[in-house]
Each structure stands twice: as C-alpha cells, then as structure tokens.
Amino acid sequence: MSAVARLLRALAKGLNGIGAYVILPALVLLVTLDVVMRYWFNMPLHGGLEASQHLLLLFFILGLLESFRSGAHIKAEILTPLLPTFARRLMALLMCAALVLVFGLLVKKTIDEIPFLYSLPQLTPELHLRLWMFHALASAVSMLVALYALVAAVEILRGRRETVEEDAEPEWGE
C-alpha cells in the first residue's frame, strides 16, 4: 500500500471516528433535549432544528470517505461477481472514473462559490453561521474522495486489487 493510500486510510478512519463518536452522540443529545424542551416545557431550543440539520450533514460528510474505503456504500452487485476478473476490474475503473468526475465537479462548484459566499455576510437563519464554512468542508471531503478514487484506480491498474474499496481487514482471531 502506498504512502498516499495509508494517509487516506488514516484520514478516513479519523474523520469517521469524529463523526461516530462526537457528532452522532451530540446529535442524539440535541434532538432529545429539543424534544423534551418542546413537548414537556413548551420551550423549544432556539436553533435546535437548524443545529440538528447541520450536525446530520457533518455526520454524513465525515463518514463519506470511510464508506467508499470500506465498501459500506450502497451498491448493487448482481452481475459483477459473475464476470471474469478483467471485466470486474474494468467495472471498478469505471466506478473510479465516475467518482472522480462527480466529486471533482463538486469540488469545482464549491471552490467557485467559496470566495463569493465569504465576501457576503450570508449567515444561517437561526445560528448565524457563515455559509462558506459548509462549502469548504464539503470541498475538502470531496477532494479526499476524488483522490481516493484515483489511488484506487492506480492500484486496480497495477493488479493490487479488483474493487474500488480496500480488501477487508482481518477480524480478531483470524
């Protein structure tokens, strides 16, 4: 495994850990507190709904790279396992190309909008957060996903793997 692949693996696991162990519990606590305050005390949290929406977005974005790395994303593999090795690798290369295209376009779009959003005093309605921060985070994670797809394509072409995701890690005791 190359140094870039190891770095991407560490970043994917770290971002996923932040999402799973920090963002998700904070989201659960916030929604629970908002429900209790709203229905028991008739005093909803100011910005509670908006904050929960942003936390959910963060949770999704932080787990995106790990889902591609580990193969946990939604996929339909009905015919692919029946194909010969060459065809499976070709399908994986097409998936890498699609990932680079989609996430590369997302990076381009967000990077084009960041200076404009930064120059405007556009804020979220209740929490008054700057909108450019969300575009910057989405752009950074999209860059990582596109880079991961490029690394996966190189490893597929070199014959080190047959799929976009990495090989499964050995479980305890194997």
Side-chain angles (χ1 to χ4, degrees):
M1 183 183 299
S2 69
V4 175
R6 282 193 298 274
L7 177 64
L8 286 171
R9 173 184 239 174
L11 278 170
K13 287 183 176 227
L15 292 173
N16 189 51
I18 292 169
Y21 299 117
V22 177
I23 302 297
L24 187 59
L27 178 61
V28 169
L29 288 173
L30 177 67
V31 170
T32 303
L33 182 62
D34 191 31
V35 167
V36 167
M37 294 298 291
R38 180 180 306 271
Y39 294 109
W40 286 2
F41 302 107
N42 202 22
M43 294 181 357
L45 292 177
H46 177 70
L49 179 62
E50 184 179 315
S52 64
Q53 290 171 344
H54 293 305
L55 287 174
L56 185 61
L57 177 68
L58 277 175
F59 175 70
F60 172 75
I61 287 176
L62 293 177
L64 193 60
L65 182 59
E66 178 65 12
S67 73
F68 283 113
R69 191 196 68 78
S70 65
H73 54 87
I74 298 172
K75 57 186 173 181
E77 289 188 338
I78 297 171
L79 299 177
T80 308
L82 304 174
L83 296 174
T85 303
F86 174 76
R88 281 196 307 267
R89 285 187 179 161
L90 184 61
M91 294 295 290
L93 287 171
L94 287 173
M95 184 176 171
C96 288
L99 286 172
V100 169
L101 178 68
V102 169
F103 285 96
L105 288 173
L106 187 59
V107 168
K108 182 185 179 331
K109 179 69 173 163
T110 55
I111 285 179
D112 287 346
E113 288 186 2
I114 288 172
F116 177 69
L117 291 172
Y118 185 78
S119 67
L120 295 177
Q122 277 196 317
L123 305 172
T124 59
E126 294 179 5
L127 297 178
H128 305 293
L129 300 173
R130 300 291 303 251
L131 287 180
W132 69 267
M133 296 185 306
F134 296 103
H135 286 263
L137 180 62
S139 182
V141 172
S142 296
M143 276 190 241
L144 291 174
V145 171
L147 180 61
Y148 173 76
L150 287 172
V151 169
V154 168
E155 289 190 356
I156 290 167
L157 288 171
R158 293 173 117 185
R160 294 185 179 169
R161 67 166 97 157
E162 291 183 10
T163 60
V164 175
E165 63 268 2
E166 293 180 3
D167 294 329
E169 297 173 0
E171 298 293 325
W172 285 60
E174 287 185 16

